[in-house]
Every structure is written in C-alpha cells, then in structure tokens.
Amino acid sequence: MPYIQIDMLEGRSAEQIKKVVKDITEVMVNDANASADAVNIVVRESRKDHIAVGGVLKSEM
Amino acid sequence: MPYIQIDMLEGRSAEQIKKVVKDITEVMVNDANASADAVNIVVRESRKDHIAVGGVLKSEM
Amino acid sequence: MPYIQIDMLEGRSAEQIKKVVKDITEVMVNDANASADAVNIVVRESRKDHIAVGGVLKSEM
Amino acid sequence: MPYIQIDMLEGRSAEQIKKVVKDITEVMVNDANASADAVNIVVRESRKDHIAVGGVLKSEM
Amino acid sequence: MPYIQIDMLEGRSAEQIKKVVKDITEVMVNDANASADAVNIVVRESRKDHIAVGGVLKSEM
Amino acid sequence: MPYIQIDMLEGRSAEQIKKVVKDITEVMVNDANASADAVNIVVRESRKDHIAVGGVLKSEM
C-alpha cells in the first residue's frame, strides 16, 4: 500500500504513462509519507465506447 | 461522482452498452439525486476464462 | 457477473440505495440480458473529504 | 458476495488461472464461511508497461 | 502485484481475516508463481444495506 | 475520466489528503493531457487489520 488504480481513456503514449506512474509515486512519498517501494499502481486504459459521462459514451461525443 | 464500475462478461453489443450507460445514469439521477454530468461509468468486459463463480471459470461451465 | 461497484458521496437514504440497486439490476436485465440473480452490486459511500474533482476535495467546494 | 478482484501481470496460463480461482474460492469457504456459489472472482491481467512499483513500470525493470 | 481486492459482507472475525489473507497469498504463490511479498491484499467489509444480489439488498433478505 | 482510486492505510491528515488529490490531478494534467475537471479521485482509507502484504496483515507487523 498505497494501491492506486488509474482508469483512463486509451491512447496515452508509453512515455506519458511512464511519467504518470513516476510522478504519482513521488506525490504519495512527498504528500502522504508513503515509502516509494510500497506504492503499487495499475493503469487500465478503456476504449471510448466503454467510458461514459452524463449517460453518453465518449465514442458518442 | 458517482463513479460506477461495471465488470461483465464480454460479448454485449455497442448498442447494449450505449443503453446500459444511459439508463444507469438515469437511475442515479432519479433515485439518488445525482447530477447527470457527474456520473462517470467505466465498463470492463472480461473473457469467460477470467471470470469465476463458485470456483469455476465461466469458460468451464 | 455482472459485478457493479458504485462509489458515491455519503448521505443517500436507505430508501434511495434500495431503489438504486433494484433499478440498476433491472437495467442490466433489460439492456444487457443479464440474469437478475447474477447481478452483484456493492455501494461504497465516501466522505466529502475523500472525494475530489478537478483537484479539489468536495469538502473544500 | 464476496467479490474478489485480482489484478496481476499478464502471462499466467489458463491452467494457473483455473487453479487460482478454484483455490481462492476454497479459502473463502473454509476461512470466511462464504458459500462457494456466492464467491465471484474477476481476473484482470495487465501489461508490464501498465503496472508500476516504486514509481517504475515493470517494463522498465 | 498481484493486487487483490476482497469486497465482502461485514462481520468476519479478525482471526478469519488473518487466515484469509495468509491463505490467499499462498494460493497466489503456489498456483500463479507470485512472490509472497509482492502480493497486496485489501479487505473491504460492507454493510448489508450496501450489498445487493438480484436487485435486493442483503438487509432486505 | 481519468478516474483514480487510492486505497491506503488510514491515518493521513486532512491536509495530506488535500495535497495528494491536488498534486495527483496536476500530474494527470501535465503528464497525460487530462483536463483537470475530468479527473475524479476517491480516497479509501483501510484499517491495518484489513491490509496485507506478503500474507501478513499490517496489524501483525
């Protein structure tokens, strides 16, 4: 712990995901006193036709 | 918020998923006073060999 | 399956939650051909100071 | 219920996953008095470049 | 990883939960070649009026 | 979206949680091109006797 699950729209580059996990881990260390090696992150990318806001799929927006 | 995660067996049509997210959002608005544009839904479809009930994978049923 | 997780702000009444799970189950039966007794729902209520949108906690809004 | 979500690195065999869900269901029955047919499990496999520990993606280790 | 989330009805004893996490970790080591210290488990207990099967809350059954 | 779930040990201060959600949102904006107001975060704090690493509850460590 902490365990962080990131659900987001597919399409980010490998470089972006690499930076996201590095920087979020830093936030948990700096702001919440977590030890870095205890921070587990899973990134789940979803298709536009599997994510909805306001009852409308992203693929319909 | 509310944030709703739907894990289900793969295989529904795009039309079914479109209707599910629309109707679930309506339920949250009508039954729980949520504002529609605050309702976030992610749909995750899983393969039969990744879902189990009673210790048996759906692919084994 | 389907398994549905609802994360929302605390404060809904027992009656509202009762209606939400009933109506969401109906949506899954009508729109996604699920069988009612396979629909599992967990409702998790969170405090305002544990939910954030746009980087700001609901308790700060 | 109980509902169990297993997020793990991709690459396990079908046989391994079959055994995991069977044995975890047995644990819930033996240790937590769950009835087997109430135990729902979803297995989600993630790519190495979507899982991080200590701020570093598994694909970078 | 693996990261395991267990959502279940409240009411298990501390001893039961202690045994569940120990035995589930053993399953992941024996069946899925995980290393024990990489297995992270969170147990979330829910009230009967926050869990539903078949559209009916456990508190209504 | 993105939707971020943070499961962590209970005990952080309100100030720490406030900073975590602010800074994580900034990471998603800067590193993943998310728009701030689309970033939803829920923080779930768990008791030591509900979190395990390596098969041992934090409360047993």
Side-chain angles (χ1 to χ4, degrees):
Chain A
M1 283 280 171
Y3 183 67
I4 299 174
Q5 304 170 70
I6 303 172
D7 279 279
M8 63 183 184
L9 206 54
E10 63 184 359
R12 267 74 178 196
S13 68
E15 202 46 42
Q16 285 179 304
I17 294 175
K18 189 174 151 184
K19 216 160 146 15
V20 161
V21 299
K22 178 179 158 296
D23 291 346
I24 282 183
T25 301
E26 248 165 62
V27 167
M28 296 309 292
V29 170
N30 298 335
D31 297 356
N33 277 337
S35 61
D37 53 19
V39 179
N40 282 261
I41 300 177
V42 65
V43 174
R44 288 190 286 257
E45 295 188 86
S46 292
R47 297 181 347 212
K48 281 193 167 190
D49 60 1
H50 279 56
I51 290 181
V53 178
V56 180
L57 290 168
K58 286 276 182 183
S59 54
E60 305 282 318
M61 291 183 185
Chain B
M1 283 282 171
Y3 183 66
I4 299 174
Q5 303 171 70
I6 303 173
D7 280 279
M8 63 183 184
L9 206 54
E10 62 183 1
R12 269 72 178 198
S13 69
E15 203 44 44
Q16 285 179 304
I17 293 175
K18 190 174 152 185
K19 218 163 142 19
V20 162
V21 299
K22 178 180 157 294
D23 291 346
I24 282 183
T25 301
E26 248 165 61
V27 167
M28 296 309 293
V29 170
N30 298 336
D31 295 356
N33 280 334
S35 61
D37 53 18
V39 180
N40 283 259
I41 301 177
V42 65
V43 174
R44 289 190 285 257
E45 295 188 86
S46 293
R47 297 182 344 214
K48 282 194 167 189
D49 59 3
H50 278 57
I51 290 180
V53 178
V56 180
L57 290 168
K58 285 278 183 184
S59 53
E60 305 284 318
M61 292 182 184
Chain C
M1 283 278 175
Y3 183 66
I4 299 175
Q5 303 170 70
I6 304 174
D7 279 279
M8 63 184 183
L9 206 55
E10 62 183 1
R12 268 72 178 198
S13 68
E15 203 45 43
Q16 285 179 304
I17 293 175
K18 190 175 152 184
K19 221 167 136 21
V20 162
V21 300
K22 177 179 160 295
D23 291 346
I24 282 184
T25 300
E26 251 167 58
V27 168
M28 296 310 292
V29 170
N30 299 334
D31 296 356
N33 278 335
S35 59
D37 53 18
V39 179
N40 281 260
I41 301 177
V42 64
V43 174
R44 287 190 287 257
E45 295 187 85
S46 293
R47 297 180 348 212
K48 283 194 166 189
D49 59 2
H50 279 56
I51 291 181
V53 178
V56 180
L57 291 168
K58 286 277 184 184
S59 53
E60 305 284 317
M61 292 183 183
Chain D
M1 282 279 169
Y3 182 67
I4 298 174
Q5 304 170 68
I6 304 173
D7 279 279
M8 62 184 184
L9 205 55
E10 62 183 1
R12 268 73 177 196
S13 68
E15 202 47 43
Q16 285 179 305
I17 293 176
K18 190 174 150 184
K19 218 164 143 12
V20 162
V21 298
K22 178 179 159 293
D23 291 347
I24 282 184
T25 301
E26 248 165 62
V27 168
M28 296 309 292
V29 170
N30 299 335
D31 296 356
N33 276 337
S35 60
D37 53 20
V39 179
N40 282 258
I41 301 177
V42 65
V43 174
R44 288 191 286 258
E45 295 188 84
S46 293
R47 298 183 344 215
K48 282 193 166 187
D49 60 2
H50 279 57
I51 291 180
V53 178
V56 181
L57 290 168
K58 286 277 183 184
S59 54
E60 305 282 318
M61 291 183 184
Chain E
M1 283 278 174
Y3 183 66
I4 298 174
Q5 303 170 70
I6 303 173
D7 279 280
M8 63 183 184
L9 206 55
E10 63 184 359
R12 269 73 178 195
S13 69
E15 202 46 42
Q16 285 178 305
I17 293 176
K18 190 174 151 183
K19 222 167 136 18
V20 162
V21 299
K22 178 180 159 293
D23 291 348
I24 282 183
T25 301
E26 251 167 58
V27 168
M28 295 310 291
V29 170
N30 299 336
D31 296 356
N33 279 335
S35 60
D37 53 20
V39 179
N40 282 259
I41 300 177
V42 66
V43 174
R44 288 191 286 258
E45 295 188 86
S46 293
R47 297 181 347 213
K48 283 194 167 188
D49 59 3
H50 279 56
I51 291 180
V53 178
V56 180
L57 290 168
K58 286 276 183 185
S59 53
E60 304 284 317
M61 292 182 184
Chain F
M1 284 281 174
Y3 183 66
I4 298 174
Q5 303 170 69
I6 303 173
D7 279 279
M8 63 184 183
L9 206 54
E10 62 184 359
R12 269 73 177 197
S13 68
E15 202 45 43
Q16 285 179 303
I17 293 176
K18 190 174 152 185
K19 222 166 136 21
V20 162
V21 299
K22 178 178 158 296
D23 291 347
I24 282 183
T25 300
E26 251 167 58
V27 168
M28 296 309 291
V29 170
N30 299 335
D31 297 355
N33 279 333
S35 61
D37 53 19
V39 180
N40 283 259
I41 300 177
V42 64
V43 174
R44 288 190 286 256
E45 295 188 84
S46 293
R47 296 181 348 213
K48 282 194 168 188
D49 59 2
H50 279 56
I51 291 180
V53 178
V56 180
L57 291 168
K58 286 276 183 184
S59 54
E60 304 283 319
M61 292 183 183

